[in-house]
Amino acid sequence: MTAPLDIAAVRAEFPILERHVHGRPLVYLDNAASAQKPKAVIDAMAAAMTGSYANVHRGLHQLANETTTAFEAARGATARFLNAGSAEEIVFTSGGTDAINLVAAALAASEIGEGDEIILSIAEHHSNIVPWHLLRERKGAVLKWLDVSDDGEIDLGAFKALFTSRTKIVALTHMSNVLGAPVPARELTRIARERGAKILFDGCQAAAHGPVDVQDIGCDFYVVTGHKLYGPTGIGALYGRKSVLALLPPFKGGGEMIDEVTTERVTYNEPPHRFEAGTPPILEAIGLGAALAWIERTGREAIAAHEAALLAHATEEMSRFNPLVVYGRSRGKGPILAFNLAGAHPHDVSTILDRAGVAVRAGHHCAQPLMKRLGVSATARASFGVYNTHEDVEALMAGLHKARDLLK
Ligand SMILES: *Cc1c(COP(=O)(O)O)cnc(C)c1O
């Protein structure tokens, strides 16, 4: 058993939690869209700008060397966070979307052509749909869709039935940003790799809510984003298995990613630098490194246990609240609660909650195919993070009571 979190101490590390919204203390329940930042992250970025900053790599002066060391240390921290085999397997990107576009574009340039097949689930975020649609439009690739249950769960038999000799890659969310449903990543990876297909997991949600071990999963690619991991925007990471990255052509061209450039030809740097054209998000990488260190210090198991308790509390309260529909009750569900108040538009619900200081999201959550599958055009969504409390759950429920009274 891990020791429970000292929530008051955790909250004290997030300066923004002191503010009020519409005269009420902030109750921030929009963590699935972006998480708030602890002082450790803010301080690390400010310290780099005040104390030691220059462009990275190739530098022959002290500040360039110090900044390069800090930047590469962040890569090492990301590798450890995902339990990658080495830091060379971590490519810094500008976010989760950028990482998936990198993989899609590089595969389009190397091995995906007309008639080749890509397996996606109906529960994907648009970031893990549209890059593959571009391959459909531009290369004639074929998208094969895996349905999910009402709870967001995958049927392994249906998954296996989608493979053909043309299947090149499977791209699945490790945890739905709407239903919170986790997928059995190890099992799915075994099935895909046995059939000669690559597999990518979109871990933008999963990595924020529990430990991830890419070597144990065995996947080819794993994607995370900094701003949902209590880090800054503008930074994400792509894990790529060493043997896979080694054969992957570049995505963007520019400085840093080359070995040699002449007027006739160009040769490319080794991974991960081959995929990092131009000046990278240096300060953001340093911020991400600080965020991951903060998460490790706080305790990933303890964070997961705390968030699971909040989810259980909110789920229990919502089950006794009529007329509320909650979407998704999968086993091992992450702390993401999509819901609708019957007869009310989720935008109106979220506006009323906002007046009470409670920040939730309402809309299609960048998951329109899943909305269609669920038979709705939008939902409200409350999502928990490390600093949320049981009082936050009570504030959400009080706001929903108010919304029900106002909207009936
Ligand atoms: C947020 C999110 C993304 C997009 O990540 P960005 O870094 O915001 O581009 C992709 N997939 C899932 C599941 C997400 O929750």
Side-chain angles (χ1 to χ4, degrees), residues 209-277:
H209 300 300
V212 172
D213 183 335
V214 291
Q215 292 190 74
D216 181 59
I217 294 171
C219 55
D220 299 287
F221 302 106
Y222 197 94
V223 169
V224 296
T225 186
H227 69 96
K228 296 181 187 177
L229 290 166
Y230 309 104
T233 53
I235 183 84
L238 171 69
Y239 157 81
R241 212 145 45 78
K242 193 168 188 163
S243 57
V244 175
L245 283 189
L247 298 176
L248 209 63
F251 167 40
K252 297 171 185 166
E256 295 275 1
M257 51 76 76
I258 53 92
D259 179 33
E260 193 182 18
V261 179
T262 70
T263 50
E264 282 76 37
R265 55 184 213 106
V266 50
T267 55
Y268 303 113
N269 203 340
E270 295 296 312
H273 306 291
R274 184 189 301 161
F275 307 104
E276 296 178 355

Side-chain angles (χ1 to χ4, degrees), residues 32 95-98 100 125 127 173 175 177 202 204-205 225 227-228:
T97 303
D98 191 41
I100 298 170
H125 188 286
S127 293
T173 185
M175 175 183 286
N177 67 313
D202 172 355
C204 288
Q205 296 295 335
T225 186
H227 69 96
K228 296 181 187 177

Side-chain angles (χ1 to χ4, degrees), residues 55-72:
N55 208 333
V56 292
H57 305 135
R58 296 160 316 201
L60 292 174
H61 60 81
Q62 180 67 18
L63 290 187
N65 290 336
E66 287 176 10
T67 311
T68 301
T69 300
F71 178 74
E72 291 301 330

